[in-house]
Amino acid sequence: MRIEWWILISVYIVTAGLIFFIPRNKIRLAVVAFLFKQMITFIIGLMVFEWGLLEYPVRLFASINRTSFTFEYFSFPMVCAVFNVWFPAHRTKLIQWGYYASFSSVLVIMEVIIEKYTELINYIHWEWYISWLSICLSLFISRLFCVWFFGKGRTKNPQGGL
């Protein structure tokens, strides 16, 4: 078996393990964040591929979808769910922005390593900083959605402490 398939299997195992980091009282938040992130990555992932910016030579469901099913429909949405569940809502803006930066940086570092040493992803007209900005922006948008979704009907805390 090629190293790419071992990486994909490992990603599924690690990502599934993230479920154990979600507290029971925040499962609804995690599900909303997960599903919302899937919607975002579905649209953006298809656009990025169709514009010829990235390619995924080795992927699951190659005959059905030309994007990375593993990243866009499972691992990134699960990371987003964990991101939203543990977001430091009651901390300073500096800590919150550091939270965005750290999640984005870890994901991009892993992506760059995978891009350099495997055939799971190839940058065509893409750079690591575009990934960093897009990941950070999508985490921010998902956070805004979750705050809005769970803050509806509440007037006390419009920022939604979640």
Side-chain angles (χ1 to χ4, degrees):
M1 193 182 304
R2 293 173 56 178
I3 187 72
E4 286 84 1
W5 292 106
W6 284 110
I7 291 172
L8 288 175
I9 291 168
S10 299
V11 167
Y12 274 98
I13 292 169
V14 169
T15 302
L18 290 177
I19 291 171
F20 297 109
F21 290 96
I22 297 174
R24 282 186 180 260
N25 64 337
K26 294 193 176 188
I27 288 176
R28 288 183 343 159
L29 171 60
V31 169
V32 168
F34 183 87
L35 294 174
F36 184 74
K37 179 59 75 180
Q38 281 185 326
M39 183 188 72
I40 291 173
T41 58
F42 172 74
I43 295 167
I44 294 173
L46 288 176
M47 288 182 352
V48 165
F49 175 78
E50 290 299 324
W51 292 340
L53 304 175
L54 295 172
E55 69 177 359
Y56 303 96
V58 177
R59 63 187 181 277
L60 291 176
F61 310 117
S63 62
I64 297 171
N65 192 350
R66 297 191 180 196
T67 63
S68 174
F69 180 86
T70 303
F71 179 73
E72 295 180 9
Y73 300 106
F74 188 61
S75 65
F76 192 29
M78 183 58 77
V79 167
C80 181
V82 171
F83 172 88
N84 277 285
V85 163
W86 293 103
F87 188 81
H90 300 292
R91 304 290 300 267
T92 66
K93 292 292 182 196
L94 181 63
I95 289 174
Q96 291 175 1
W97 285 109
Y99 192 71
Y100 284 106
S102 61
F103 264 78
S104 300
S105 297
V106 168
L107 291 173
V108 168
I109 288 168
M110 290 188 303
E111 179 182 282
V112 167
I113 291 169
I114 288 171
E115 194 274 335
K116 184 171 181 166
Y117 296 108
T118 71
E119 291 295 314
L120 290 172
I121 184 171
N122 287 332
Y123 291 171
I124 299 172
H125 302 289
W126 197 262
E127 298 293 334
W128 66 268
Y129 56 85
I130 299 171
S131 286
W132 193 91
L133 288 171
S134 64
I135 288 170
C136 196
L137 181 62
S138 68
L139 288 172
F140 181 73
I141 291 169
S142 72
R143 181 69 191 157
L144 287 178
F145 179 80
C146 288
V147 168
W148 170 81
F149 186 84
F150 287 101
K152 288 180 72 169
R154 277 196 259 174
T155 56
K156 245 183 179 180
N157 187 2
Q159 297 300 317
L162 295 180

